Amino acid sequence: MSTVLQHYNHLHQIPELGFQEHQTAAYIANELEKAGYKVTRNINNTTGIVAEYDSGKPGPVLALRADMDALGHIIDGVHCARHTCGHDGHSSILLTAAEELIKEGSIKQGRLKLIFQPAEELGSGALAMIAGGAIDDVDMIIGLHLRPKDECPKGFASPAMYYSASTTVEVNIHGIPAHGARPHLGVNALDAAMMAIQAVNTIHLAPSLTYSVKATRCICDAGVTNAIPSKAYVCWDLRAPTNPAMDELKAKTLQAIKLSVEAIGAKADIEVSKEIPAAEIDNEVSQIITEAIVDVLGSEGLKDPIFTPGGEDFFNYPIERNVKAGFWGLGCDLTPGLHHPEMKFDLSALENGVKITKACALKVLG
Ligand SMILES: [Zn+2]
Ligand SMILES: [Zn+2]
């Protein structure tokens, strides 16, 4: 019997938000040291951890990555952190697989690196690890995520998760204040915000692409009802299935905002405040994962690749550095859905996660 449930139960009780995973990281780092890894803590002054095992023989450098952060929810009126994206599951799977790989002495060549990253939900944890040099010497990196039951039930796994790109655009609009009786002397920021929202709503990409762009927040208040408001804030959420499609959508969005706001004499300060790239999956790595899934679950447990509108900051690794990447999905009868405050899954599926993770590692380093 593996220790995965023990690790999971511990991590599940100490959910922490992005970049605040202090207890989580301390627990994982201590356990990795006990298992025999060379552990580096506080990568790039964050809670991120890199652990390494060198076989002493030449060979590839394989990185396995898990995320550690929980989500913030408001439950019964109280702000709290809760593991509703299953990152405690990912960390306990990777930690257990790492322990067993060393205990069984099965790594015969190359080096194994374990990346426990903070702040996936904030979209900036992977970038912090990359800036800290975590994958500078890595040839190949593999990540995983628990999947909702309707997408991939327990007993199944998908060898490739094609996540979409997501981008957040925030705009501060500057008009000119005036008395409500003399609107011709002002520039109404609320009008400019409305123009920009309408202009963005007219954007089209090819209908075959599963994209969307929509305003998700608009704040405008002069503090009184009889004056022309001069400041407005609008936020847009953009989704696209590939990185080139996101480039096109973003360029059209920024142009539509700028031109429509300027058309009535206002100015727009535009900030692209969050960008998560779409999946960049390497076929060779997908093949390794496919074989690992078949070894553990049989060919009947192998699902097709999954295309999802969700975002995953993992794909910064292959985009920022020249590493081959693969990302797989683990079926665990997860309901009612990821990020739902009452999210739950069948804990016995964690064992499948450990076995598939080990099988992936041994196909590269065994
Ligand atoms: Zn999430
Ligand atoms: Zn997640």
Side-chain angles (χ1 to χ4, degrees), residues 59-220:
V61 181
L62 170 69
L64 301 175
R65 171 270 204 181
D67 37 17
M68 302 189 290
D69 54 323
L71 274 90
H73 287 275
I74 298 176
I75 295 169
D76 297 332
V78 179
H79 282 272
C80 61
R82 196 175 269 198
H83 271 298
T84 57
C85 204
H87 298 182
D88 47 354
H90 308 157
S91 282
S92 51
I93 286 170
L94 182 54
L95 177 55
T96 308
E99 288 172 338
E100 293 184 5
L101 283 165
I102 285 207
K103 205 193 287 173
E104 292 161 8
S106 44
I107 297 175
K108 305 290 186 208
Q109 59 162 350
R111 282 187 290 137
L112 175 62
K113 283 187 97 168
L114 309 168
I115 313 281
F116 286 88
Q117 76 156 74
E120 192 285 324
E121 296 294 345
L122 302 181
S124 47
L127 288 170
M129 296 297 279
I130 294 163
I135 60 157
D136 285 353
D137 56 352
V138 167
D139 300 308
M140 191 181 280
I141 187 166
I142 295 175
L144 86 153
H145 208 293
L146 306 184
R147 300 319 306 161
K149 184 177 184 178
D150 55 359
E151 196 178 84
C152 183
K154 192 192 153 200
F156 294 85
S158 168
M161 295 290 312
Y162 285 90
Y163 282 88
S164 298
S166 58
T167 297
T168 305
V169 175
E170 295 182 79
V171 178
N172 282 296
I173 294 170
H174 307 281
I176 296 172
H179 193 290
R182 299 175 190 85
H184 59 294
L185 298 179
V187 172
N188 192 327
L190 183 54
D191 284 344
M194 186 193 68
M195 297 275 284
I197 291 168
Q198 293 282 20
V200 170
N201 285 348
T202 66
I203 290 172
H204 296 286
L205 302 189
S208 55
L209 295 168
T210 49
Y211 70 95
S212 71
V213 53
K214 59 277 162 191
T216 53
R217 182 178 281 166
C218 180
I219 300 168
C220 181

Side-chain angles (χ1 to χ4, degrees), residues 43-44 50 125 156 221 225 247 253 272 309 327 350 353:
I43 300 293
N44 198 11
V50 172
F156 294 85
D221 185 1
T225 55
D247 288 344
T253 299
V272 178
F327 197 97
L350 293 170

Side-chain angles (χ1 to χ4, degrees), residues 175-323:
I176 296 172
H179 193 290
R182 299 175 190 85
H184 59 294
L185 298 179
V187 172
N188 192 327
L190 183 54
D191 284 344
M194 186 193 68
M195 297 275 284
I197 291 168
Q198 293 282 20
V200 170
N201 285 348
T202 66
I203 290 172
H204 296 286
L205 302 189
S208 55
L209 295 168
T210 49
Y211 70 95
S212 71
V213 53
K214 59 277 162 191
T216 53
R217 182 178 281 166
C218 180
I219 300 168
C220 181
D221 185 1
V224 292
T225 55
N226 56 359
I228 303 302
S230 64
K231 305 278 182 219
Y233 164 89
V234 189
C235 179
W236 282 267
D237 177 86
L238 290 68
R239 306 277 161 163
T242 64
N243 291 315
M246 178 55 83
D247 288 344
E248 182 186 350
L249 185 60
K250 193 169 63 181
K252 286 182 168 175
T253 299
L254 299 186
Q255 173 169 277
I257 294 168
K258 181 174 186 295
L259 295 182
S260 58
V261 166
E262 287 177 358
I264 63 163
K267 283 206 163 47
D269 279 341
I270 303 176
E271 187 195 357
V272 178
S273 56
K274 184 173 167 184
E275 286 191 275
I276 295 178
E280 297 280 351
I281 284 179
D282 181 87
N283 288 336
E284 185 193 333
V285 186
S286 273
Q287 187 54 36
I288 289 167
I289 298 170
T290 299
E291 289 169 17
I293 291 171
V294 171
D295 285 356
V296 175
L297 301 177
S299 53
E300 63 278 15
L302 181 68
K303 275 261 181 197
D304 287 335
I306 292 172
F307 293 81
T308 165
E312 168 58 71
D313 88 342
F314 173 86
F315 294 101
N316 284 299
Y317 293 112
I319 286 168
E320 296 292 319
R321 294 289 183 274
N322 188 25
V323 293

